[in-house]
Amino acid sequence: MKYQQRQYPFYNPNLVRMSMGALDFVVNYADMLDQTCVEFEHVHECYEIYYCLSGMHHLMIDGQCHTLTGGSFAVIRPGIYHYTVYEPSLLKQYVVFVFTPPTVNSTKSRSKNAQSEFSFLSAALQYFETHTHFICKDRFRGNEVLHTLDKEISQDLPGKSQMVNALYQQYLVTIFRHLVTAKPDESMPSNINLAVAMTKYMHANYNKNITLQDIADVFYISPRHINRIFEEYFGQSFKRTLNIYRLNYAKNYLMDTNYPAEKIAELVGFSSPKMLYQLFKEVEGMTVSEFRAQHRHQRS
């Protein structure tokens, strides 16, 4: 079996030149990617937008790990090292969009409409005079533009290049609107973002022998910081949260199968059946056998 990156029709190998008011842009690269993409650390003199359409996307920016989830995006200014963390088992789909810093087109700068657009775009990009990147939850439906763009690129219809150009502009405007309306230092709260991302990882791997150090390695933070995040947002430790997940998933096996409790404990990741028995009694106020009998009676 050969492992390789999946290719989407969305990929556009051609430079797209466009004007927005008095400013000229060049879109160097646009592509739709997923968890099969292997991306190396890189830097360039362009802006780059990572838009997460679905799943969970870990993005390293200037040495720090950030987590994007469906409907959130990151804009990275020129000159900043960045890359997507390669995690082939973590499903995701995202779009990358690379464009040059805009240049002023003097022949168009006199019209009133051009001046208005120039002010809007200048205000948006001014954010990057003091910030290396911008991360935000999409409020202006940029994902809808991307889906329309995907359909347009996939078809060979008359006027395709003009339509793609128009959709590129529309997409950039939706992104720039967030920058213009951003409050000072607006960004997705990193700890909340991390907490949600870590619980999603736990949902996907609860049946494995995952440890605090495993989570720390995945998210590039210290074990101590992980427990601080869990205590802050969930009021309990990482280990307690993981065991509660395991307990709840065990209920599915108790209701839907005739597996003995020993096998169920193993299937959900407990190191011993005793842990399942004790936690079940503590949290549910009944034994495993009583829970199973109660639900069988309700079904009958």
Side-chain angles (χ1 to χ4, degrees):
M1 178 180 179
K2 184 179 181 181
Y3 296 97
Q4 59 188 116
Q5 179 180 325
R6 180 180 176 184
Q7 301 296 320
Y8 290 89
F10 194 97
Y11 172 59
N12 187 355
N14 302 313
L15 294 180
V16 176
R17 303 180 186 278
M18 59 186 185
S19 295
M20 298 174 66
L23 296 179
D24 291 338
F25 293 79
V26 175
V27 177
N28 301 68
Y29 172 69
D31 202 358
M32 186 178 291
L33 304 168
D34 59 23
Q35 68 281 352
T36 64
C37 175
V38 178
E39 189 175 313
F40 54 87
E41 184 176 30
H42 60 284
V43 63
H44 41 64
E45 294 306 310
C46 297
Y47 289 91
E48 185 157 2
I49 305 170
Y50 286 81
Y51 192 110
C52 183
L53 292 170
S54 63
M56 186 162 54
H57 182 184
H58 293 131
L59 185 63
M60 295 294 292
I61 305 175
D62 203 21
Q64 291 189 339
C65 185
H66 302 268
T67 303
L68 304 180
T69 53
S72 61
F73 65 89
V75 186
I76 304 168
R77 82 178 188 195
I80 303 299
Y81 281 92
H82 58 279
Y83 67 95
T84 295
V85 179
Y86 181 58
E87 299 165 291
S89 62
L90 197 61
L91 300 181
K92 58 178 172 284
Q93 188 175 54
Y94 59 101
V95 169
V96 293
F97 197 88
V98 181
F99 63 96
T100 60
T103 56
V104 177
N105 187 328
S106 58
T107 62
K108 299 180 180 179
S109 60
R110 296 180 181 179
S111 73
K112 187 176 295 185
N113 184 56
Q115 283 295 329
S116 175
E117 292 187 3
F118 177 81
S119 298
F120 164 67
L121 297 171
S122 297
L125 295 176
Q126 187 177 6
Y127 181 91
F128 296 105
E129 292 179 5
T130 54
H131 298 80
T132 59
H133 64 277
F134 177 77
I135 298 177
C136 189
K137 195 75 176 175
D138 183 15
R139 302 190 303 272
F140 299 112
R141 299 181 178 179
N143 61 327
E144 295 181 6
V145 182
L146 291 175
H147 286 306
T148 303
L149 186 55
D150 184 33
K151 289 182 180 179
E152 187 63 39
I153 293 173
S154 301
Q155 303 176 82
D156 193 17
L157 297 175
K160 177 178 176 178
S161 60
Q162 289 86 350
M163 184 64 77
V164 168
N165 188 298
L167 288 167
Y168 276 3
Q169 292 192 40
Q170 186 178 350
Y171 175 61
L172 280 178
V173 169
T174 64
I175 297 298
F176 290 161
R177 280 177 174 172
H178 293 87
L179 290 160
V180 171
T181 59
K183 297 175 182 177
D185 296 319
E186 178 182 357
S187 184
M188 292 174 63
S190 58
N191 280 352
I192 295 176
N193 202 13
L194 270 175
V196 172
M198 286 188 285
T199 59
K200 288 181 180 293
Y201 181 87
M202 291 159 69
H203 275 295
N205 297 279
Y206 69 89
N207 59 320
K208 303 173 185 176
N209 183 29
I210 56 175
T211 65
L212 193 60
Q213 187 60 52
D214 292 329
I215 300 292
D217 292 341
V218 169
F219 292 92
Y220 302 96
I221 56 177
S222 70
R224 182 179 297 180
H225 187 45
I226 292 172
N227 262 332
R228 281 201 298 266
I229 291 173
F230 273 81
E231 292 288 353
E232 181 179 357
Y233 293 103
F234 305 125
Q236 58 190 16
S237 68
F238 157 79
K239 184 176 181 180
R240 175 73 175 183
T241 305
L242 177 58
N243 283 337
I244 293 298
Y245 282 157
R246 288 169 169 163
L247 170 70
N248 283 288
Y249 282 115
K251 293 178 184 178
N252 294 322
Y253 288 105
L254 290 168
M255 292 186 291
D256 298 335
T257 75
N258 292 318
Y259 294 161
E262 290 75 14
K263 182 174 182 177
I264 293 173
E266 181 182 353
L267 288 170
V268 299
F270 282 118
S271 58
S272 71
K274 183 179 179 181
M275 293 184 65
L276 174 60
Y277 290 134
Q278 290 179 340
L279 191 63
F280 214 96
K281 183 68 174 178
E282 175 193 342
V283 175
E284 300 298 323
M286 65 177 76
T287 66
V288 168
S289 299
E290 289 170 341
F291 176 86
R292 177 170 258 172
Q294 182 186 87
H295 282 272
R296 282 180 177 173
H297 176 73
Q298 290 174 350
R299 286 187 175 184
S300 62

